[in-house]
Amino acid sequence: MAHIPDGIVSVPVLVAGAVVSLGGLGMGLRRLTPERVPKVAVLAALFFVASLVHFPVGLTSVHLLLGGLAGVILGWAAFPAIAVGLILQAVLFGFGGLIVLGVNIANIALPAVLMGLLGRRFLARPTLAGIIAGGGAVAATALMVAVCLALSGREFLVGAKLLVFTYVPLMAVEAVFTAAVLGLLVKVKPEALEMSS
Amino acid sequence: MSVLALGSASPLDLPGQARPLLARLDPRSRVMAALVFAAAVVWCQSVAALLAALGLAAGLALLARLPWGTTMRRLLALEGFMLLTLATLPFTMGGPAVVHIAGIGLGVEGLHRALIIVLKANAVVLATLALIGAMELPALGHALARLGLPLRFVALFLFTVRYIEVLYRQYARLRLAMRARAFRPTACLHCWRSLGHLIGMLLVGTLERSERIHAAMRCRGFDGRFHLLDEHRPGRLDWGFGAVQAVSLLLLAALDVM
């Protein structure tokens, strides 16, 4: 449940999420120069499409968030790109509420950007970079969602703890996947990874 | 039918039929209406008011002529999302136990809280799908710009919407090619890797496509903004709709306070 629905999160958490999101969007938009708009948009579209692909894991299936990969390729510009994706998911599919949109954007985009930027430092070893960016971003998102729930009321504490465990399969798939894609990019299209400098 | 169309009536698809009432509203009115409705619902605390809100949302869904099957599937997915978080509430919130399962009492307060959250979440999603989801997305982008979002963000939004369609078609082609080679998604490393290669292929193709787009846009003097040429003005229908909504939400608030 990376997309929190409306009606759960308390007002202080809502405000904090909105502030973080606006800050991140500001940072991202400042780095989104006109010549980068088409590139960032096409990648945002790709991440949206990729999130429609369901990976079977055991009896259930997970869909990728790909935030870490977006962070590695786009840097801070990943923030508005992810925000667009989340807005679309909220209004088209009902994934996540409207009033909590700020919280949801913060929970997914902030770890994506930070872990992505961290992962970039290890691009010489794409597998390590993929594990840090892909697995790390999912882990941080899980933690932030759990903290948002726990701060909204003591009664959510147990549910929040359980929630973190449900992210473990996704963390594994996403780490493997991001590592594979980064390996491919380093080989096939290394210039794509210079974008956010 | 594209991945983004919720299936709602686009006027071109329905020759001879009147457009749904909501489709005749100014896109800005629809966005504002959805936000105000969601804020009101989040603020409400009583089951009676939230049931009424869910009723209002269902009314909006009828006005937008949302397709039943898809909408129900979306709402079911929402209950699935919330299940884990809400299922623990009856055990953790205390209050007198109503039901006993395996010797553990389900607290009445937790059940009450869970019910309230379910009602809120469903009401907001249903209203959002009706008011915004059934809108054409370029119209939504323009509405966001007119409501004051930075033009650069709106340009990003409009571009993204455009290329989701293109990439989804590309994805569907590749997926079909995999199926023609007897690929079935199961939980195994080979399968994960194949799906990984699929998305990797899309990514490389996409990056190359973005270079061509960039070149084409530069030829046309693109400066990071789309200029908005349409001049929508809220009409009588918008004011009327806004008034009806304001009255409904005031009644809702009154019901909630009572």
Side-chain angles (χ1 to χ4, degrees):
Chain A
M1 195 183 74
H3 315 270
I4 304 178
D6 268 324
I8 294 182
V9 171
S10 67
V11 176
V13 178
L14 285 177
V15 173
V19 169
V20 171
S21 285
L22 289 178
L25 283 174
M27 287 280 278
L29 286 179
R30 216 166 340 122
R31 282 166 176 73
L32 187 63
T33 50
E35 57 268 24
R36 288 185 67 199
V37 169
K39 211 160 215 170
V40 175
V42 177
L43 285 168
L46 175 78
F47 295 128
F48 185 92
V49 170
S51 76
L52 301 171
V53 185
H54 283 256
F55 278 59
V57 175
L59 293 176
T60 86
S61 74
V62 295
H63 80 80
L64 297 173
L65 294 174
L66 290 187
L69 185 60
V72 172
I73 301 180
L74 298 176
W76 275 99
F79 210 107
I82 291 171
V84 168
L86 287 175
I87 291 174
L88 287 174
Q89 288 182 334
V91 302
L92 294 175
F93 306 141
F95 291 172
L98 276 194
I99 303 295
V100 291
L101 205 49
V103 174
N104 285 334
I105 291 174
N107 283 346
I108 296 176
L110 191 66
V113 169
L114 296 182
M115 298 313 282
L117 288 177
L118 186 64
R120 279 184 71 82
R121 295 164 174 264
F122 299 93
L123 272 181
R125 292 159 69 193
T127 308
L128 183 63
I131 290 169
I132 291 173
V138 173
T141 293
L143 216 61
M144 283 178 70
V145 172
V147 167
C148 284
L149 290 180
L151 287 179
S152 297
R154 293 180 72 80
E155 66 272 19
F156 291 116
L157 203 58
V158 179
K161 281 181 189 157
L162 282 176
L163 194 71
V164 174
F165 286 102
T166 63
Y167 277 89
V168 172
L170 178 62
M171 225 180 290
V173 175
E174 187 117 359
V176 171
F177 179 82
T178 308
V181 173
L182 286 179
L184 184 78
L185 276 185
V186 167
K187 253 185 266 161
V188 180
K189 219 167 161 45
E191 66 272 22
L193 295 168
E194 308 305 324
M195 281 183 61
S196 62
S197 53
Chain B
M1 162 113 171
S2 80
V3 55
L4 290 180
L6 194 68
S8 103
S10 130
L12 296 174
D13 299 334
L14 295 171
Q17 269 193 46
R19 298 169 69 189
L21 175 71
L22 286 188
R24 280 179 276 152
L25 290 175
D26 186 303
R28 273 171 298 179
S29 316
R30 301 177 67 170
V31 174
M32 289 312 292
L35 287 174
V36 172
F37 181 83
V41 167
V42 169
W43 178 78
C44 280
Q45 287 305 333
S46 76
V47 173
L50 289 170
L51 278 173
L54 194 58
L56 280 180
L60 287 172
L62 286 178
L63 283 181
R65 297 201 205 125
L66 287 186
W68 278 107
T70 324
T71 309
M72 283 302 142
R73 248 182 295 133
R74 304 266 187 253
L75 291 181
L76 270 180
L78 172 69
E79 318 325 339
F81 270 138
M82 293 191 295
L83 190 64
L84 182 72
T85 320
L86 299 188
T88 57
L89 288 182
F91 300 102
T92 54
M93 277 189 76
V98 257
V99 198
H100 287 270
I101 295 179
I104 305 168
L106 290 180
V108 66
E109 266 178 43
L111 287 174
H112 182 243
R113 183 70 193 273
L115 177 65
I116 283 181
I117 292 175
V118 167
L119 288 175
K120 281 187 182 186
N122 281 284
V124 172
V125 165
L126 198 53
T128 306
L129 291 179
L131 283 166
I132 308 183
M135 200 188 311
E136 275 157 27
L137 288 169
L140 173 60
H142 287 202
L144 293 178
R146 301 243 181 255
L147 289 170
L149 262 70
L151 283 182
R152 210 176 265 179
F153 184 76
V154 174
L156 180 66
F157 179 90
L158 292 171
F159 251 123
T160 305
V161 166
R162 163 78 180 93
Y163 285 102
I164 284 173
E165 297 284 352
V166 174
L167 291 181
Y168 189 75
R169 253 175 275 146
Q170 178 97 12
Y171 161 74
R173 251 197 316 274
L174 289 171
R175 197 66 198 256
L176 187 67
M178 288 169 82
R179 224 174 74 199
R181 288 154 184 80
F183 173 80
R184 264 186 317 134
T186 50
C188 65
L189 199 61
H190 164 77
C191 159
W192 287 1
R193 207 179 291 133
S194 304
L195 289 175
H197 288 165
L198 165 67
I199 296 173
M201 279 295 293
L202 270 180
L203 181 64
V204 173
T206 301
L207 287 167
E208 273 160 15
R209 180 191 288 276
S210 83
E211 283 158 21
R212 293 196 298 276
I213 297 167
H214 178 207
M217 295 302 284
R218 275 182 74 141
C219 280
R220 292 159 179 80
F222 181 62
D223 65 352
R225 290 175 299 159
F226 282 129
H227 300 276
L228 306 171
L229 300 175
D230 52 336
E231 269 301 335
H232 276 294
R233 286 241 165 68
R236 257 186 306 177
L237 194 62
D238 294 285
W239 293 114
F241 181 77
V244 171
Q245 200 202 10
V247 172
S248 323
L249 292 184
L250 282 177
L251 288 176
L252 208 63
L255 189 63
D256 191 60
V257 173
M258 261 162 35

